[in-house]
Amino acid sequence: MIKKVSICFLFVFLRALTLPQDFPLLYKWMHEPYVIPQWQLNKPKLELAVYFEKMLIDDHQRLYIIQIEGQDVGYLEIYEAKRDRLSLYYSALEHDLGWHVLLGEKNVVGKGHFKAVMRMMCYFVFEYSRAEKIVGEPDENVKSYEYVAQEIAFEAQQKIQMLEKTAILYHCFREKFYEKCGEFIPP
């Protein structure tokens, strides 16, 4: 699993989530109308705070805040797929890592930042872990993965019916990613 480290790639930066400092942002983002259908975390403050406290101490995942040009704009969970409920839907390998990503600030949504964020996250995972594969399982109605998947070596595998959604299972293999995107050169 990735240790709690930060990374900067071009104008995208990741930092470890901290509570209670980051909670106001999480609360705001989870209540944005375009976020609610996908994340379903538009809960009252206390319930959402308890949810994130539990997430933060769960040792099969790491939580991050995504920054673009110094502004906090999103949230990222990186998790060990074999220890996650996703392993009920595919044969996860020991070092597979998955993620859930949210660009929560309206001023960055739809501006082309998602591809840079996805590329940076792939470098982050592959440079700081033993993962040979990254997995994602966005709702089939989320088209942002579809738009950037091929450019950063994400391959749709199959539809999976999860309790809360019909998802598309994506895999990004280390070797194919580096072939497509090149070696990581620290800034």
Side-chain angles (χ1 to χ4, degrees), residues 79-157:
Y79 60 88
E80 296 173 31
K82 192 164 182 88
R83 295 180 57 207
D84 191 79
R85 72 186 191 107
L86 184 59
S87 67
L88 299 172
Y89 301 94
Y90 91 103
S91 297
L93 300 177
E94 186 67 30
H95 298 291
D96 288 359
L97 293 179
W99 63 37
H100 298 122
V101 61
L102 162 69
L103 291 181
E105 287 297 322
K106 287 184 253 186
N107 66 323
V108 300
V109 174
K111 303 283 197 261
H113 295 298
F114 190 63
K115 182 170 60 171
V117 168
M118 294 280 284
R119 182 176 288 133
M120 183 274 308
M121 291 185 309
C122 288
Y123 280 121
F124 181 58
V125 168
F126 290 139
E127 293 292 319
Y128 292 99
S129 77
R130 294 173 30 196
E132 292 296 322
K133 177 173 55 193
I134 300 169
V135 298
E137 83 290 346
D139 185 291
E140 68 179 343
N141 297 312
V142 174
K143 300 302 178 196
S144 50
Y145 259 72
E146 206 175 295
Y147 298 138
V148 302
Q150 290 183 348
E151 292 185 47
I152 54 173
F154 268 79
E155 302 170 1
Q157 302 298 303

Side-chain angles (χ1 to χ4, degrees), residues 48-59:
L48 191 63
V50 169
Y51 171 85
F52 278 108
E53 282 182 350
K54 288 178 180 177
M55 295 285 288
L56 199 56
I57 62 169
D58 183 342
D59 72 346

Side-chain angles (χ1 to χ4, degrees), residues 5 9 15 29 36 51 60 77 92 112 162 169 176 187:
V5 297
F9 177 73
R15 66 172 176 81
W29 294 336
I36 292 169
Y51 171 85
H60 96 283
E77 301 167 3
M162 301 178 85
L169 178 65
K176 289 183 180 179

Side-chain angles (χ1 to χ4, degrees), residues 15-36 39-45 47-56 62-66 72-77 100-105:
R15 66 172 176 81
L17 182 137
T18 58
L19 291 177
Q21 297 87 335
D22 291 321
F23 183 74
L25 283 174
L26 296 169
Y27 182 81
K28 175 183 146 188
W29 294 336
M30 294 305 171
H31 287 81
E32 291 289 355
Y34 61 91
V35 172
I36 292 169
W39 284 78
Q40 303 168 17
L41 287 174
N42 54 324
K43 300 176 182 301
K45 282 187 176 181
E47 189 177 342
L48 191 63
V50 169
Y51 171 85
F52 278 108
E53 282 182 350
K54 288 178 180 177
M55 295 285 288
L56 199 56
R62 298 288 183 265
L63 310 181
Y64 297 93
I65 294 295
I66 301 166
D72 294 335
V73 299
Y75 167 69
L76 170 67
E77 301 167 3
H100 298 122
V101 61
L102 162 69
L103 291 181
E105 287 297 322

